[in-house]
Amino acid sequence: MNSKLFLVISSLCMLLFLSWGVSAQSSIIGSVNDEANPVPFANIYLKETEKGTSSDGNGNYELTGLQEGKYTLIVSAIGYAPYQKVITLTKKNIILDVILRPSTESLEETVVTGTLKAVKRSDSPVPVEVYSPTFLKKNPTASIFEALQNVNGVRPQINCNVCNTGDIHINGLEGPYTLVLIDGMPIVSGLGTVYGLSGIPNSLIEQIEIVKGPASSLYGSEAVGGLINVITKNALEAPDFFADAFATGWGEYNLDVGAKIDVSKKTDLLLGVNYFNYDELIDNNGDNFTDLTLQDRISIFQKWNFKRNKSRIFSLAGRFFYEDRWGGELQWTPESRGGDEIYGESIYTRRWEVLGKYQLPIDEKLMLSFSYNDHAQNSVYGDVPYLADQRIGFTQLTWDKNLGKHDLLVGSALRYNYYDDNTTATVNADEVVIPSLFVQDEIALAEKHSLLLGARYDYDQRHGNIFTPRTAYRWKVTDNDIIRFNAGTGFRVVNLFTEEHAALTGARDVIVTEELEPEQSFNFNLNYLKKIYGDNGTFVSLDASIFYTNFSNAILPDYDTDPNQIIYDNLNGKSVSQGVSANIDVVLPSGFKFLVGATFQDVAQTEDGIKSRQILTESYTGTWNVGYTFREIQLSIDYTGNLYGPMRLPTLGENDPRSDFSPVWSIQNIQFTYKKLSNFEFYGGIKNLLNWTPNRNNPFIIARANDPFDRNVQFDGNGDVIATADNPNALTFDPSYVYGPNQGIRGFFGLRYRLD
C-alpha cells in the first residue's frame, strides 16, 4: 500500500510540475508592418536565445514555447532599419505589432507619375499619393472606379440615374479634367473613363498613384484636374495563382482569377480575368425605374514581361473588355430596345487596349512607350440611338540623362485621336494627330534643395501652337519633413460629345453657342509632408496641401438658362478651384490603424461680375479608414466611410419640387477579414450602413418617371412647358438629377485564395 501511495503521489507531483512548466511558457504574437503595408518574410528572433521565426505573407508572426524572463526582440528586413525592443515575458502571452522604418539606403515607395521617372516618393518634387491593393481590400468593390470613393479629394460621380455611368472628380473638377493612365499610358478617354477603371483584378495591381492638379506639361490635354495612374505588377511580384470572389445581398457577383505563367526562361505572362454580373430588378424608391443598372461584364487582361540583357525593359500588355448594361422601367426587355413604348437605356460596349514599353538596346537610357485603344459603343436612350467609335493611339520616346547636378528628361510624343458618332453634331469623323515635344530638368541646388523646370509644346491643327511650362521646388527640411511647391499651366481641348453623350440622348438638348476654344489654366500647389516615428512603434504621417487653379476659356455646362437644354460656351470670365486638403495616417503598436482625410474647397465661376458655385461640386468632403487586427485569431476589422457637404444640383427651374442642394450625406461600410487558414482569406460585412440614398427628403429623383417620352407634356409657342393638372410643376422627363448611388444597405461575403 505504501509503495502504491508513493507512486500516486509521485505521479501527481510530476503532473503538477509538467503543468507548471507548460503554464510558465509564453508566446509573442503580432505583425510586422511599414508605414502602410505588411512586411512579409521579416526575420524575428530573441537575442539571448536560439528562438526565431519569420513573418508570413501577410506580415504576421508567432514565437511560442518561451520561458519567463527578460529578452531583446530583434526584427530585420531588407530595406528597413532593424527594430529592437526589450520585453519581459510572464505567464501571459504578449501581442506586439512591429512598425519598421525604411532605412536611408532602402528604396521606399517608388513613384513615376509626377515626373515620368522612377524616384523615391520623398524625392519626387511633385506630391504623389500612393494606394496599394491592401487599401483597396479594406472596402472590396467590383471596380477601381467605386474603390476611389474612400480617397480624400477624389469622388466617383454618377452622371445618369438610369444607366449609372460616371466619371472621377478630383478637387471638385469634373471628370473630363482627369486623365486615367494604365502603366503610364494615357489610353483612357472621356468616353471610356468609367470603363478604363473597371475589370483590372486587384491582385494584378501594384499600386495606384494619384496626382492632384494639372500635369499638362508632361501628359498633354485632359491632365488639367489630375492624374490617376494604375500600375500593374511585374512577374516577380505577382502570385503564381489567385482567385477572389464575392457576392452581395443585392445579387451582385464578382470574380477575379489570375495566374503567373513561365512561358520560357526569358518570358513571363500575367493573366487576369474579371467577371461581374448583376441582374436583379430592384426599385426601392418606387418610381418604376431600376435603382441600379443591370450589368454583365467581362474583362481579360494579360501582361508579357521579357528578360533582356543588362536588365533592359520590354513589356507588352493588352486588355479586352465587353459589357452589356441596361436600366429603365422595370417591364423593359431587350425587345423594347430603341422603341418608344417602354423606356430603357441599353449600352453595349466593346473595348480593347494594347500598351507596351521597350528600352532601346543602346548605352543611353532611351525608352519607347506606346498604346492603342479602340472603343465601340452601341447604345440607345429611350428611342434615340447613340452609336460611337473612338480610337486613340499614342507613342512616346524619352531620354533620361544625369549630367552632374542636372537630371534631364527629354521626350517627344505623338497622339492620334479618332471619334465618330451618329449625332448631327458629328457630320464628319473628328480625326487629328497631335505631335509634342517636352523637356524637364531637375536641378540639385543643394543637399536638401532641388528645383524642377519643365515645358511642353503641342501642335493641334484645330487650335495651333500650345505651350505649357511648369516649375516645382522641393525642400527636404529633415529626413521626415518635406515642403513642395508646384506651379504651372495646363490646357484642355474639349471633345464635347464624348463627355456628354448621356445628355445628348437624354431629356435635355446640348446647345453649343460658339466655336469652343481650348481651356487654359494656371495653378499652384503648396504641399507639406511630415512623418513621426515613435520609440514605441507608433507611426504618424501628415500630408497637407493648399491648391489653386484659375481657368480661362472655361467650358462649363449651363443647366439653369433653359431647363430643357445644356448650353455650352467659353466662359467670359474666370473659373477658380481653390482649397485645402490634408491626410493623417496613424499606426499604433496596439494594432489600431487609421487614415483620416478632409478637403475644403471653393469651386466657382465668375461671369459679368456674378459668382456662382459649380454644379455637382461639394464644398467639403471627408474620408476615413479605421482598422484593428486581433492577432491571436488573425481577424481584422475595417471601418471605412466618406462624408460630403452640400452640392448644387441640376433642377428644372423654380417650380421643380426637388431640392436645389443635396444634404450632407455619408456612405459607411464595415468589413471583417479572417486570415487564420494558410493561403485563404474570408471576408464579409455590410456596405452603406446608414442605408443612405438620394431620394431622402425628395418627392422623387427622376422627373416625370411616369411619362418618360413626354407624351402628356404640353409646350407653348416658345417651347416652354405649360403647367397642367397632370403636370402641375411644368416638368419634363429628366434623369440627370443625380449626385450619389441609389443602392442602399447590403451585406457581402467573399473568399480570396493566393498561391505564391
Side-chain angles (χ1 to χ4, degrees), residues 65-112:
L66 306 176
Q67 299 295 329
E68 296 182 19
K70 182 177 288 187
Y71 301 93
T72 302
L73 180 74
I74 305 292
V75 182
S76 62
I78 296 176
Y80 297 92
Y83 175 93
Q84 180 173 308
K85 185 177 180 66
V86 177
I87 57 176
T88 301
L89 291 176
T90 61
K91 295 180 181 180
K92 290 185 178 181
N93 294 335
I94 291 180
I95 299 176
L96 179 62
D97 292 330
V98 175
I99 306 298
L100 293 182
R101 179 177 179 177
S103 66
T104 55
E105 299 83 10
S106 72
L107 286 175
E108 58 172 292
E109 286 175 322
T110 299
V111 297
V112 298

Side-chain angles (χ1 to χ4, degrees), residues 35 138 158 185 201 265 301 434-435 541 559 573:
E35 299 173 2
K138 295 181 183 297
I158 296 175
M185 292 291 97
K265 290 183 178 180
F301 177 87
I434 304 175
S541 173
Y559 288 85

Side-chain angles (χ1 to χ4, degrees), residues 182-183 204 206 230-235 237 259-261 263 267-272 300-306 313-319 355-357:
I182 297 179
D183 286 337
L204 289 183
E206 172 65 21
V230 181
I231 299 175
T232 58
K233 292 181 182 293
N234 61 43
E237 300 161 330
K260 177 173 64 177
I261 303 170
V263 179
T267 306
D268 296 309
L269 169 65
L270 295 181
L271 178 65
I300 302 171
F301 177 87
Q302 57 178 299
K303 183 177 182 180
W304 297 76
N305 293 284
F306 303 92
I313 297 171
F314 181 27
S315 66
L316 187 65
R319 184 171 68 130
L355 60 152
K357 292 184 177 181

Side-chain angles (χ1 to χ4, degrees), residues 200-453:
I200 303 176
N202 286 346
S203 296
L204 289 183
I205 296 174
E206 172 65 21
Q207 61 191 37
I208 298 174
E209 298 180 7
I210 298 178
V211 175
K212 298 173 182 176
S216 292
S217 63
L218 279 183
Y219 295 95
S221 182
E222 297 179 356
V224 179
L227 297 171
I228 299 174
N229 190 4
V230 181
I231 299 175
T232 58
K233 292 181 182 293
N234 61 43
L236 294 176
E237 300 161 330
D240 291 333
F241 176 80
F242 71 87
D244 186 348
F246 73 82
T248 75
W250 271 50
E252 300 163 285
Y253 300 94
N254 186 77
L255 173 65
D256 285 340
V257 178
K260 177 173 64 177
I261 303 170
D262 295 326
V263 179
S264 67
K265 290 183 178 180
K266 293 188 176 182
T267 306
D268 296 309
L269 169 65
L270 295 181
L271 178 65
V273 178
N274 169 259
Y275 178 70
F276 177 79
N277 179 268
Y278 171 72
D279 61 0
E280 297 290 330
L281 294 173
I282 296 179
D283 177 26
N284 288 337
N285 59 22
D287 59 5
N288 195 45
F289 272 71
T290 52
D291 287 350
L292 182 65
T293 303
L294 280 67
Q295 302 170 57
D296 193 25
R297 177 175 74 230
I298 187 167
S299 176
I300 302 171
F301 177 87
Q302 57 178 299
K303 183 177 182 180
W304 297 76
N305 293 284
F306 303 92
K307 298 175 184 177
R308 302 172 59 209
N309 293 334
K310 298 183 179 180
S311 300
R312 292 190 177 101
I313 297 171
F314 181 27
S315 66
L316 187 65
R319 184 171 68 130
F320 174 78
F321 178 99
Y322 178 79
E323 182 183 68
D324 174 5
R325 69 163 60 200
W326 78 267
E329 295 187 274
L330 301 183
Q331 64 271 31
W332 189 91
T333 64
E335 290 74 24
S336 307
R337 192 174 196 265
D340 60 359
E341 295 297 326
I342 302 173
Y343 189 90
E345 297 185 1
S346 170
I347 303 174
Y348 303 144
T349 302
R350 177 194 54 77
R351 179 183 179 89
W352 61 270
E353 307 158 348
V354 62
L355 60 152
K357 292 184 177 181
Y358 180 77
Q359 186 175 348
L360 273 60
I362 59 177
D363 291 337
E364 294 293 333
K365 191 173 182 181
L366 285 169
M367 184 74 71
L368 178 66
S369 304
F370 53 90
S371 66
Y372 183 82
N373 75 75
D374 186 296
H375 184 108
Q377 186 164 309
N378 179 336
S379 51
V380 292
Y381 298 79
D383 58 353
V384 180
Y386 176 69
L387 309 175
D389 289 292
Q390 186 169 44
R391 300 165 202 147
I392 297 178
F394 181 83
T395 183
Q396 177 175 274
L397 180 66
T398 57
W399 176 46
D400 188 349
K401 184 70 173 180
N402 286 309
L403 295 172
K405 293 185 177 182
H406 296 267
D407 191 356
L408 287 169
L409 181 74
V410 180
S412 175
L414 191 68
R415 177 166 177 150
Y416 168 76
N417 284 356
Y418 173 90
Y419 174 76
D420 192 19
D421 65 30
N422 65 319
T423 68
T424 56
T426 311
V427 178
N428 299 309
D430 182 15
E431 191 170 16
V432 64
V433 175
I434 304 175
S436 308
L437 295 171
F438 57 90
V439 62
Q440 175 181 278
D441 182 13
E442 186 174 355
I443 308 167
L445 300 176
E447 181 181 354
K448 297 182 178 181
H449 300 267
S450 64
L451 175 67
L452 182 142
L453 302 173

Side-chain angles (χ1 to χ4, degrees), residues 46 51 92 134 199-200 209 215 500 546 622 652 655 667:
L46 296 179
K51 291 282 187 179
K92 290 185 178 181
T134 302
I200 303 176
E209 298 180 7
E500 291 292 345
I546 299 173
L652 296 178
N655 294 327
I667 294 181

Side-chain angles (χ1 to χ4, degrees), residues 509-524:
D509 295 324
V510 172
I511 305 298
V512 181
T513 61
E514 61 184 357
E515 183 177 350
L516 299 176
E517 295 297 324
E519 293 185 341
Q520 297 179 344
S521 67
F522 167 77
N523 75 93
F524 72 81

Side-chain angles (χ1 to χ4, degrees), residues 25 43 56 87 91 104 119 203 415 454-455 472 526 545 554 604 611 614 625 695 727 745:
Q25 292 184 343
N43 295 314
D56 61 19
I87 57 176
K91 295 180 181 180
T104 55
V119 297
S203 296
R415 177 166 177 150
L526 180 63
S545 295
K611 180 180 177 180
Q614 182 170 300
N625 190 320
N695 61 299
N727 187 13
I745 189 171

